[in-house]
Amino acid sequence: MLTTDGSGKIHILPADVVSRIAAGEVVERPAAVVKELVENSLDAGSRTITVDIKDGGLALIRVTDDGEGMSRDDAPRAFDRHATSKLRSDQDLWSIRTMGFRGEALPSIASISHVRVTTAMRSAEVGTEFQVKSGTIGKVVEAPPVAGTRMEVAELFYNQPARKKFLKSIPTEFSHISRVVQQTALAWPSVHFRLTHNGQEILNYPAALSDKDRIGQVYRRMFLDQSVPLQAEQPAARISGYTIDAVHAKSSRIPQELFVNRRPVRNTAVFHAVAEGYGPFLPKGHHPQFVLFLDVDPNLVDVNVHPTKREVRFSDNEAIHQLVRRAVRQTLGTRERSTVAPGFTLNNMEPTSESVGVSVSVSYPRPAAFPAIEASVKTSFAGMDSPAIVPPGAEAQLAFVSEAAEPYIHVPSAEVVALGQLNRTFLVVQIGGDLTVIDQHTAHERVLFERLYRAWTARGIQSQPLLIPESIELSAPHAALLQRHRGDLEKLGLELEPFGASALLVRAIPVGLGKINAESFLQDLLDDLSQWDSVSTVETKVRPVLASLACHGAVRAGRPMELPEIKTLVEDWRAEGEITTCPHGRRTSFRLGMDDLEKMFGRAGW
Ligand code: ADP
Ligand code: MG
């Protein structure tokens, strides 16, 4: 049942609906506030949305729209928990069409900032204005009847010093914000978006007539010129958008934008289907670039998987996979035949149109291989007792790694028996007589970090060149930041090289790391580097960078591991001191001793 006093549009959701909604922290950084406010503006039917930011959003986030506005009664009520005008019953959870649906955003935002609301309904003769301070609504006064709503969020996190400390630099926070605006703009081409930072206009996308025009505004003409339009349909789903012509594919993954029912999401099934669609058309080391819009019957997609709505679940994954794969394959197939003159071979791609339809093996985005551990299994099988993790073909570095390998903590030796892997995430082992559950990612991260750190203190970290250097496109300030610290990064085994005005080549990474996704690693690295100016010791500069390297070089959750690999990883982790957290503070292990088990089963004292 719905509680309503009948006077307005906004209702408080009943408790059973609330409990079904993925709860969680809505606001982890300024960009999250922008996202919620802009989504509210879109839900209100706005044609123009202006986002003004001061100091990366920490000083001020102001979102002004020309939407339907709120009545004098409704506006303060919007700040009640689970107050919404959008979701009526739990039935609606499965066919959500509007962007917001939890009624959580405004109260959450108001609890950690000072908010000022100015709003007027289109037909109203007078508007409404009030402030919300520390979650409490102030005096509601009249305002000029300017149709629409202006939300001003000032002093974000003023009462959350811990959260504030966790935030990155102003440029980084602002770049997250501009990403939110860009993605939203792609999803809503007919809406005019503007973004300013400290009074300077950063983005301005006037209302566009088509997805194509909007993509051109956001990703420039060049992307469109090098892309092919794609369109395909099934009874319950439809896909459209632009995807790079295989001859122009690059090693960069920008853009890789997917919208499901106009929400920006990441979805492995679709990304994988795109890669498989490219199959033989894509040179090794190159990735597809695309902006795709997938429209699925809202009853067949669950958007309520994740509190930030970044993930979706399809009720028929296979059908979606097939639709996308075929659409890409067909688009590229026709394109190839129509644009490539006979006798002309596409660079680096042997297969021609005959190969359309053959099954191909793609490695993206399946879990990265784990050469490190595999290689080290080989070494221990070969009877060498070096604990070093060595990538294939890097034997020459072995001496170096084991030489520097003198762990700080020595743990008593005990037999390690690998029992298995749980959900491809946790390793189950017996250490001595104890049952131990280990997180494969965090434990490996710790191992890599300890080794990198020791190597750094010993005599510098060796690097391994990448077979195919990856080029990453960056904003100009980011490229400059990396450029400035290139020398230092080289000492950490990381070789970057400028590549044009705003791109970088990742040439080499430290020895011992698995396959890393250079782009997401660089994102973290940029975050680390942006702190460098504010820390004094070399140590405090280096640690986070090594932690990022370790994190990206470590085996991921979801990667199946065999017993010998498990044993090697656990032994390595013990050799590094059995440290129970990863460098970022997450837990690596959980131990249940024989005593605990005996107590638990009432055996103690028998
Ligand atoms: P939700 O969007 O999930 O409903 P919010 O806390 O974001 O929850 O907003 C609560 C309610 O406030 C919305 O349902 C809507 O009725 C109203 N609201 C918020 N922002 C606006 C806006 N910009 N224009 C009109 N109404 C708004
Ligand atoms: Mg909302």
Side-chain angles (χ1 to χ4, degrees), residues 172-186:
T172 306
E173 293 306 329
F174 183 74
S175 75
H176 284 285
I177 291 173
S178 65
R179 185 86 190 105
V180 164
V181 174
Q182 284 188 328
Q183 282 188 324
T184 316
L186 283 167

Side-chain angles (χ1 to χ4, degrees), residues 26 35-41 43 83-84 86 99-106 109 309:
V26 196
K35 181 165 192 286
E36 294 293 335
L37 296 181
V38 168
E39 286 183 354
N40 281 346
S41 297
D43 286 342
T84 179
K86 298 165 196 172
M99 302 297 285
F101 50 84
R102 296 158 309 169
E104 246 179 43
L106 292 182
I109 292 167
K309 301 173 247 170

Side-chain angles (χ1 to χ4, degrees), residues 153-375:
V153 175
E155 291 176 61
L156 189 61
F157 301 127
Y158 76 96
N159 54 357
Q160 296 213 313
R163 170 67 72 185
K164 210 166 172 173
K165 235 165 91 190
F166 180 75
L167 291 176
K168 309 292 181 183
S169 65
I170 286 176
T172 306
E173 293 306 329
F174 183 74
S175 75
H176 284 285
I177 291 173
S178 65
R179 185 86 190 105
V180 164
V181 174
Q182 284 188 328
Q183 282 188 324
T184 316
L186 283 167
W188 297 82
S190 62
V191 176
H192 181 175
F193 286 88
R194 283 185 68 235
L195 172 65
T196 71
H197 194 202
N198 295 333
Q200 201 188 344
E201 183 172 276
I202 307 293
L203 302 176
N204 188 355
Y205 306 138
L209 288 174
S210 63
D211 285 336
K212 182 179 180 183
D213 292 345
R214 181 51 55 88
I215 294 171
Q217 290 170 340
V218 176
Y219 284 112
R220 315 269 168 230
R221 265 299 345 147
M222 192 160 106
F223 171 72
L224 283 178
D225 290 344
Q226 300 186 339
S227 297
V228 280
L230 166 155
Q231 197 152 3
E233 217 161 319
Q234 266 182 1
R238 182 177 176 278
I239 187 156
S240 65
Y242 285 80
T243 195
I244 199 91
D245 192 347
V247 278
H248 296 297
K250 302 172 186 62
S251 59
S252 146
R253 291 181 210 262
I254 300 172
Q256 285 191 341
E257 304 266 22
L258 170 66
F259 297 85
V260 172
N261 295 351
R262 299 277 150 179
R263 284 168 199 279
V265 298
R266 305 206 68 79
N267 180 277
T268 337
V270 173
F271 280 40
H272 182 260
V274 172
E276 224 164 69
Y278 272 87
F281 296 102
L282 207 60
K284 250 207 159 76
H286 285 201
H287 303 290
Q289 286 92 46
F290 54 84
V291 179
L292 293 176
F293 301 94
L294 183 61
D295 294 307
V296 184
D297 179 340
N299 294 306
L300 302 177
V301 53
D302 181 6
V303 297
N304 195 28
V305 181
H306 194 261
T308 59
K309 301 173 247 170
R310 287 287 293 161
E311 285 165 30
V312 291
R313 204 179 285 145
F314 303 112
S315 54
D316 190 350
N317 233 345
E318 185 42 42
I320 299 291
H321 193 279
Q322 197 181 66
L323 169 71
V324 176
R325 189 180 62 230
R326 288 200 178 148
V328 171
R329 184 63 63 88
Q330 262 159 26
T331 306
L332 296 171
T334 11
R335 176 74 175 178
E336 193 192 7
R337 275 191 293 277
S338 62
T339 59
V340 180
F344 183 87
T345 44
L346 303 173
N347 31 338
N348 300 334
M349 291 176 288
E350 323 84 63
T352 53
S353 49
E354 284 92 75
S355 57
V356 175
V358 300
S359 74
V360 281
S361 66
V362 234
S363 58
Y364 167 78
R366 288 178 189 148
F370 191 27
I373 291 284
E374 271 144 22

Side-chain angles (χ1 to χ4, degrees), residues 134-148:
S134 312
T136 309
I137 311 244
K139 195 162 184 278
V140 180
V141 298
E142 291 188 352
V146 181

